[in-house]
Amino acid sequence: MSILIDKLNRISRGSPQPMGFTSRQPASDKPKMQLVVSFAAESAGSLAGRAAGADAGLLRISKPGTGAEALQEISKTLPNIAWGVGLRGISRAGLKQIARAGSDFVVFPATDTPLTALEDNKTGRILEVPESLDEGLFRAINQLPVDAVLVVCEEKESPVLTWQNLILCQRLAGLLTKPLLVSVPSQVTAPELVSLWETGVAAVVIEITEKQPVDSLKKLRQAVDKLEFASPRGPERAEARLPRTGGTTSPASTGDDEEEDEEEY
């Protein structure tokens, strides 16, 4: 089982409090927003130091050979982080080469990834889709053999999160029964992460570059750890409701109301 997927599943399902007079769950053990750092595999050597504070790392790979080498090297440099790869245009043979390098999870776009490319059931599968995907297609993802969903923002140049982003996350969390990850600006703040968490987002993917301060992610992690995160809520599911018969009786009517009507006759 993928380390990252296991964390996301525990976050999405929630950890029930023990019954009886036992002590409550320590604050340090309570689930919190997962931070996933992302950068190109070619930049792994220069950006590895900026990944401190992340829960997981995502290497964007374009060449299987150099990508596998970068994955092995950075896994040794930062062994406490679960490392995965972002695939785009990778062949089946290339994917096997990367899998042998020890990838914990793979992030793959729905549009150009062949079905035959993903055969390893031990590696976590995160489907990458655009935020503009049709609502019905988001619901269809729930039936697919993937472990989580990453929604990428189409306005990558936007340096801040807006209420529109929050509305979108709230809606998608209600449609999906799988853990939800979203891409966010590199300047995201801890209070903004709390707002995303409250909509149902389990993890955020933060793209970093050499232009950012070396300790920016580490400071974000420290700020996140100081905040209180409410217990995660499970995915909302629409309940089927059957139409009532017998005229225009209000759904709020009770059995007592029916008895009063009979007494009038």
Side-chain angles (χ1 to χ4, degrees):
M1 168 63 76
S2 162
I3 296 175
L4 176 61
I5 297 303
D6 183 57
K7 287 183 178 180
L8 296 178
N9 284 333
R10 285 190 279 112
I11 287 174
S12 299
R13 296 167 185 167
S15 300
Q17 290 289 345
M19 298 180 65
F21 296 97
T22 57
S23 58
R24 295 181 62 84
Q25 186 178 10
S28 58
D29 294 336
K30 290 183 178 179
K32 292 186 176 182
M33 176 73 73
Q34 298 291 291
L35 306 182
V36 182
V37 63
S38 173
F39 46 79
E42 292 78 8
S43 304
S46 59
L47 296 178
R50 290 174 165 81
D55 298 287
L58 174 63
L59 292 181
R60 299 287 183 180
I61 291 178
S62 56
K63 298 179 180 179
T66 56
E69 294 176 1
L71 178 61
Q72 290 178 327
E73 186 63 30
I74 202 168
S75 296
K76 295 177 182 178
T77 305
L78 298 169
N80 295 326
I81 297 178
W83 287 96
V85 295
L87 307 177
R88 191 172 295 276
I90 300 294
S91 66
R92 181 178 178 181
L95 183 58
K96 288 184 176 181
Q97 184 177 2
I98 293 170
R100 288 194 295 269
S103 177
D104 181 72
F105 60 93
V106 294
V107 176
F108 59 97
T111 53
D112 60 0
T113 303
L115 291 177
T116 56
L118 300 174
E119 296 180 347
D120 184 8
N121 294 326
K122 296 181 180 179
T123 304
R125 299 178 177 181
I126 302 178
L127 182 66
E128 179 181 316
V129 295
E131 61 183 359
S132 59
L133 195 67
D134 181 81
E135 178 178 313
L137 295 181
F138 270 110
R139 291 184 183 276
I141 293 175
N142 295 326
Q143 307 302 321
L144 297 180
V146 297
D147 301 300
V149 181
L150 168 61
V151 177
V152 293
C153 180
E154 296 175 348
E155 296 180 2
K156 295 184 178 181
E157 300 300 325
S158 177
V160 297
L161 291 175
T162 65
W163 281 96
Q164 179 69 19
N165 299 130
L166 201 63
I167 293 171
L168 176 66
C169 291
Q170 182 77 57
R171 182 57 177 156
L172 297 184
L175 294 173
L176 294 169
T177 59
K178 300 178 184 292
L180 173 62
L181 300 85
V182 297
S183 60
V184 296
S186 58
Q187 300 91 338
V188 66
T189 65
E192 288 176 327
L193 293 183
V194 173
S195 296
L196 293 176
W197 171 271
E198 291 174 348
T199 68
V201 176
V204 293
V205 177
I206 305 173
E207 189 80 20
I208 62 172
T209 65
E210 295 182 355
K211 295 181 180 180
Q212 298 167 227
V214 175
D215 59 348
S216 61
L217 190 65
K218 185 177 181 180
K219 289 183 177 180
L220 178 61
R221 163 54 67 191
Q222 293 172 345
V224 167
D225 289 342
K226 293 178 181 178
L227 295 177
E228 184 69 21
F229 283 75
S231 298
R233 61 175 179 80
E236 297 177 358
R237 294 178 175 83
E239 297 180 358
R241 298 188 178 184
L242 298 176
R244 294 175 60 90
T245 58
T248 58
T249 306
S250 169
S253 298
T254 64
D256 294 337
D257 296 332
E258 295 176 357
E259 291 179 0
E260 291 178 2
D261 293 339
E262 293 178 357
E263 291 178 358
E264 293 179 0
Y265 291 98

